[in-house]
Amino acid sequence: MIRLFRLAWREITANKRFNLFFVLNLSVGLLGFTTIEAFKSALDTTLVERSKSALAADLEVGARRPLTDKEVELINKTLPQGHQSSQVTWLYSMAVSENNTQLVNLKAVEEPYPFYGKLRLQKPVENPEGSSVPQGDGVWVYPEVLVHLNIEIGDTIQLGEWTARIENVIEDDAANLFSVGLAPRIYISQEQLKKTRLIRPGSTAFFTQIIKLPSTVRVEAINEALEEKLDDPAVQITTYKNANEDMGVFLKYLNDYLGLAALVALFLSGVGATFLYRNFFAQRQTELAILNSLGLTALRAEVIFSIHALILGVATTIPTLLFSQLLLPFVNELTQGLIQVDLPARLTSDIVLKTLILGSLSSLVICLPVLLRMAQIRPAQLFSEGINEGFRFNGAIIAKIAAHSFQFLLFWLAAVWQARSWQVGTTFFAIFVVATLFLLLVAGHSIKWLAKKKTFSHYTTRLATRNLEHHRFSTLTGFLSLALGMLLLNLLPQLKASLNEELQNPKGSKLPSLFLFDIQDEQVDPLTKLLTEKGQELQQISPMIRARLLDVNGKPFEREANESGFSTREEESKRRSRNRGFNLSYRKLLSESETLIKGRPLSEKPPTDPEDPAEISIETRYAERMGFSIGDVLTFDVQGVSIKGKIVNERKVNWNSFQPNFFILFQPGILDDAPKTHVASVANLTFETKTEIQRALAKALPNISTIDVTRFVEKLIGITNQMSLALRFMALLSLVAGLVILFSIASYQTQFRKQDINMLKILGAPASQISGTLLKEFLSIATAASVFGVALSIAVSLVLSHYLFDDTWAIDLETPAITTLALLILTWIVTVLAVKKAINKKPEI
């Protein structure tokens, strides 16, 4: 074995140029993976370290309704002696200053709070009792509240029916890790919350009990015991250990898609490394045939070159880790607007080990098809004319197909793993494979067309086209790498343009100006009258009834526990859906943002027999997550009354319309008398009218909260823009990988053609003419790659927009123009650098 290792090391020392290019190609692909893995690790570490602070306790039990006396009794009986608990209630409401209004997140707390972490205030607390929560008429606010309401410390604001004074500003809140929220936060006490009179039957609020356990008690054991006793899935039990599952869901999805972008870069680097290794093998084939005639078996040859590939994979770790450490601060900077805390920009020992393993395995997988060909080496090849570039089929075709199939299988599994979704990973893989086959087909036919076209007038052009044809494999490699890089780099802006269009102009409906919620039943008429006086109309007013799902088709409906280990995003979404409360509604006709896709419309008249179930319409994606289908009978508990409903249709809802919509709709006449609140919208408001209406509502009906949809959409677009920037940064690595491949190909080709170049010099061809030929060759590859890469990005975005944005599609022409120009300039620079030494070398006679 030592002898085989020495032979492998000899291959390393004897082929330094090849080793350098191979390591460079592979390290670019691994760079994205390592950087994203380090970012994920830093994020997970921060969430774990701050999870108790973010939850402010060991355990939280709560629901979108006050806990019943029975539930409170069960909780207290389950908790061990020595525990501490505190009540926390949060809700959205309107804060009103002298000139402005602002939706805020009211968080009502009581002593002691928090059990972990702290609130860092601008001014020291001067409460005589030493209280750590607001007292009297003073409240603590986030800085954004002062900015939006144009007020200062000491000024007063209206919260519901209570006039509060701005006592302090919160500079740092351990319970707020992420900066993405619907509204800035205001801290008040439970006593102050009563003064606001904002909590009314059916109000949209979350009522929780936070608990600190003795240090000797395992939080998991208490969690399991509470889940057994609290049978209502609407009651959520959260420990500090699983709290981070619900934190920053958008960042988790961002990580997933960053990982997919990094996977493309790795694939392209693999293409470049395959090109290099294939040509390295072609050059070594004669020597291998000699060694075979002297007794070297195919198995020993495969072991030697496998060791060689492993050494190269290990060597790849060094530049990968070095450049990743330089890139991490940039990734952190790109996410600063999404997360409130600084993430540690460091590479842990786990990341180093993962990079080492991934580099070694990637090198072996990339070299696998070539390694299998060693079994076909025979001494008879000493008398052959060698290997030409192009696709070769021989007796090992089955082994080659198996090797490439294995590579694609690993790529598919990696896509599923990165996306944490069988659906997204498989879709990504399918799009990628189809795009690759399409590009190869186009490139192949283009090369054939160039081979037949003999009418190019300029000599350098004819020579460049001949080179493209004769060196088919390198042409296809360079074209495929750059085209896929351009596809990914331009696809993101195209999808972002479609998303922005969908958010601002949702198909089939008009974006409302204001979204209103927490409208009490008796407030509908006063609200309608107030808007009429302002010349406006209340639209899409919809009742909202809180309910509890008891059973499905006679089987009890139970909560779904958090499972350890790998779980897909679909499974996480299903778990969140099953463990949340149920909001029911009813209406005669579907809204303009809804489309019936399965089943029949709801009947306007309720069933004559009270024992017959009512008819239900369900949102189609929600039905898929919950496992519901047409014909299922659901039994709900509505304020102690059992009501059955049978699903008769599925609807598709355009949630981006920001109209009042619900997952579950009952037919009219069933829930009309149930306790409820209402949601509604108002459209076509100018900025002045919108402000006037918000102030009038806050004065006349203070418990009604309004969302400025225009401002909210602008905030969403800002978030998507920042996330898109991070994705484009990672996609840029794919293009860099393509350029590195192009540099490797150009360098290899100049070495491979050095005799041809030397002959041209002897015949009197100037250096400018020779370099011009090579520039035309590689610029034509880059131009074709840009054209087809951009065209594919537009086509793929059109297809994806059909499924993601309900056929809302917009095109971005600026980014393709910029990226194409940049690619051509970079290709020119890369080609000049790659061929400069060979071109300037004096001819050898």
Side-chain angles (χ1 to χ4, degrees), residues 383-636:
F383 307 101
S384 66
E385 295 184 2
I387 295 179
N388 56 24
E389 248 188 312
F391 296 108
R392 300 185 62 220
F393 297 92
N394 51 38
I397 187 63
I398 296 178
K400 286 180 65 177
I401 292 174
H404 289 302
S405 299
F406 179 68
Q407 289 175 325
F408 275 96
L409 175 63
L410 289 181
F411 185 78
W412 171 61
L413 293 175
V416 171
W417 178 265
Q418 284 298 322
R420 296 186 71 89
S421 166
W422 292 101
Q423 182 179 352
V424 174
T426 303
T427 301
F428 169 83
F429 174 77
I431 291 174
F432 196 78
V433 170
V434 170
T436 300
L437 294 176
F438 172 77
L439 290 171
L440 289 175
L441 186 64
V442 167
H445 282 288
S446 299
I447 291 172
K448 288 181 180 179
W449 176 79
L450 286 174
K452 295 178 181 179
K453 192 171 180 64
K454 308 294 183 181
T455 58
F456 294 113
S457 58
H458 202 278
Y459 170 73
T460 56
T461 305
R462 292 199 304 272
L463 189 58
T465 55
R466 191 205 67 175
N467 288 337
L468 291 172
E469 177 194 355
H470 287 185
H471 305 285
R472 181 184 295 262
F473 187 72
S474 61
T475 300
L476 290 175
T477 301
F479 170 79
L480 180 63
S481 302
L482 294 179
L484 288 174
M486 288 293 286
L487 164 63
L488 186 63
L489 193 60
N490 285 277
L491 177 60
L492 297 170
Q494 301 300 336
L495 290 176
K496 188 185 75 171
S498 298
L499 175 60
N500 290 351
E501 178 68 18
E502 171 70 3
L503 288 174
Q504 294 172 321
N505 301 295
K507 185 177 180 180
S509 62
K510 186 171 180 60
L511 202 66
S513 300
L514 292 175
F515 185 92
L516 291 70
F517 59 97
D518 274 352
I519 306 168
Q520 298 295 309
D521 214 7
E522 67 275 8
Q523 293 176 325
V524 173
D525 291 338
L527 175 60
T528 304
K529 182 180 178 182
L530 185 150
L531 291 172
T532 302
E533 291 174 354
K534 302 290 183 183
Q536 303 300 324
E537 181 184 357
L538 193 64
Q539 297 180 342
Q540 296 289 336
I541 185 161
S542 303
M544 186 173 75
I545 300 102
R546 299 204 182 280
R548 173 188 174 192
L549 182 59
L550 298 177
D551 63 62
V552 179
N553 296 325
K555 296 181 180 179
F557 182 79
E558 300 176 350
R559 75 170 73 247
E560 188 167 316
N562 292 323
E563 296 180 1
S564 58
F566 179 82
S567 60
T568 66
R569 297 301 180 212
E570 288 85 2
E571 289 170 342
E572 291 176 1
S573 178
K574 178 183 176 182
R575 185 160 57 240
R576 285 194 298 269
S577 295
R578 289 183 65 89
N579 294 347
R580 66 186 297 173
F582 290 82
N583 294 325
L584 311 178
S585 187
Y586 57 88
R587 60 168 64 114
K588 292 182 179 180
L589 300 173
L590 297 182
S591 70
E592 58 185 9
S593 59
E594 297 174 307
T595 306
L596 186 68
I597 60 172
K598 286 183 184 178
R600 58 175 176 80
L602 295 175
S603 302
E604 294 188 12
K605 295 182 179 180
T608 54
D609 188 345
E611 297 298 321
D612 290 341
E615 295 181 356
I616 290 178
S617 173
I618 193 163
E619 198 272 334
T620 183
R621 293 182 181 177
Y622 182 72
E624 182 180 354
R625 290 197 300 270
M626 299 292 288
F628 298 160
S629 59
I630 292 177
D632 286 348
V633 177
L634 313 181
T635 305
F636 292 94

Side-chain angles (χ1 to χ4, degrees), residues 294-312:
L294 296 176
L296 180 69
T297 64
L299 179 60
R300 285 178 174 268
E302 289 171 351
V303 172
I304 291 170
F305 282 91
S306 295
I307 295 172
H308 177 221
L310 277 173
I311 294 173
L312 291 178

Side-chain angles (χ1 to χ4, degrees), residues 22-258:
F22 186 92
V23 169
L24 180 62
N25 272 270
L26 192 53
S27 63
V28 172
L30 288 174
L31 179 59
F33 259 110
T34 302
T35 304
I36 296 307
E37 197 63 36
F39 177 76
K40 286 181 182 179
S41 176
L43 179 62
D44 290 341
T45 300
T46 301
L47 289 176
V48 170
E49 289 176 350
R50 297 194 57 169
S51 57
K52 282 191 178 183
S53 299
L55 198 63
D58 293 308
L59 192 71
E60 177 186 84
V61 183
R64 292 186 180 274
R65 56 168 176 78
L67 297 173
T68 64
D69 293 339
K70 181 182 177 181
E71 288 169 341
V72 172
E73 183 182 354
L74 286 173
I75 292 171
N76 291 333
K77 286 183 177 179
T78 306
L79 294 175
Q81 289 186 350
H83 77 273
Q84 293 177 275
S85 65
S86 180
Q87 186 177 354
V88 176
T89 307
W90 65 264
L91 67 154
Y92 289 105
S93 182
M94 302 302 295
V96 186
S97 67
E98 186 177 349
N99 299 311
N100 296 298
T101 59
Q102 168 69 35
L103 182 72
V104 294
N105 178 354
L106 284 182
K107 191 165 187 177
V109 296
E110 68 176 3
E111 292 284 4
Y113 181 90
F115 293 120
Y116 301 103
K118 63 179 180 178
L119 296 172
R120 184 159 57 85
L121 303 173
Q122 192 177 92
K123 300 192 313 179
V125 178
E126 299 178 354
N127 293 321
E129 299 86 1
S131 173
S132 59
V133 300
Q135 299 291 317
D137 64 349
V139 296
W140 303 342
V141 303
Y142 277 18
E144 301 96 303
V145 175
L146 302 183
V147 175
H148 292 318
L149 294 178
N150 193 24
I151 55 177
E152 299 176 350
I153 291 180
D155 291 343
T156 60
I157 57 174
Q158 194 74 21
L159 296 173
E161 298 180 10
W162 177 57
T163 301
R165 177 177 55 86
I166 306 298
E167 181 184 56
N168 222 324
V169 175
I170 300 168
E171 293 185 339
D172 183 34
D173 184 359
N176 188 39
L177 288 178
F178 302 101
S179 56
V180 180
L182 190 60
R185 183 172 294 171
I186 295 180
Y187 275 91
I188 62 176
S189 68
Q190 288 287 337
E191 290 301 316
Q192 291 170 338
L193 178 61
K194 295 176 183 176
K195 297 177 183 179
T196 66
R197 299 190 64 188
L198 288 171
I199 300 295
R200 305 188 182 191
S203 293
T204 304
F206 200 80
F207 304 83
T208 67
Q209 188 174 344
I210 61 171
I211 301 157
K212 181 181 180 181
L213 299 172
S215 58
T216 55
V217 177
R218 288 177 61 249
V219 68
E220 296 89 349
I222 303 299
N223 181 41
E224 291 175 5
L226 286 173
E227 285 185 346
E228 275 187 27
K229 295 182 179 180
L230 299 173
D231 57 352
D232 185 357
V235 179
Q236 297 182 18
I237 306 167
T238 306
T239 70
Y240 75 90
K241 292 188 176 182
N242 59 34
N244 60 357
E245 283 195 9
D246 297 323
M247 296 179 188
V249 174
F250 59 92
L251 269 179
K252 293 181 180 180
Y253 281 99
L254 176 61
N255 277 335
D256 297 342
Y257 291 107
L258 285 173

Side-chain angles (χ1 to χ4, degrees), residues 264-284:
V264 175
L266 181 60
F267 176 86
L268 297 182
S269 294
V271 171
T274 299
F275 167 81
L276 291 169
Y277 205 79
R278 180 184 182 278
N279 286 287
F280 167 73
F281 175 72
Q283 294 171 355
R284 306 289 291 134

Side-chain angles (χ1 to χ4, degrees), residues 681-746:
S681 63
V682 184
N684 302 321
L685 300 180
T686 63
F687 177 79
E688 293 76 14
T689 306
K690 184 164 43 180
T691 304
E692 183 183 349
I693 288 176
Q694 285 180 300
R695 289 190 59 78
L697 282 174
K699 184 177 180 179
L701 303 166
N703 67 289
I704 297 178
S705 298
T706 63
I707 297 175
D708 186 337
V709 176
T710 305
R711 184 187 295 177
F712 181 65
V713 167
E714 288 174 354
K715 186 172 184 179
L716 279 181
I717 290 175
I719 294 170
T720 57
N721 286 344
Q722 187 162 12
M723 295 176 72
S724 175
L725 187 63
L727 283 165
R728 289 170 72 176
F729 176 76
M730 193 55 57
L732 190 61
L733 276 180
S734 300
L735 195 60
V736 171
L739 289 169
V740 170
I741 294 170
L742 195 68
F743 181 80
S744 302
I745 292 173

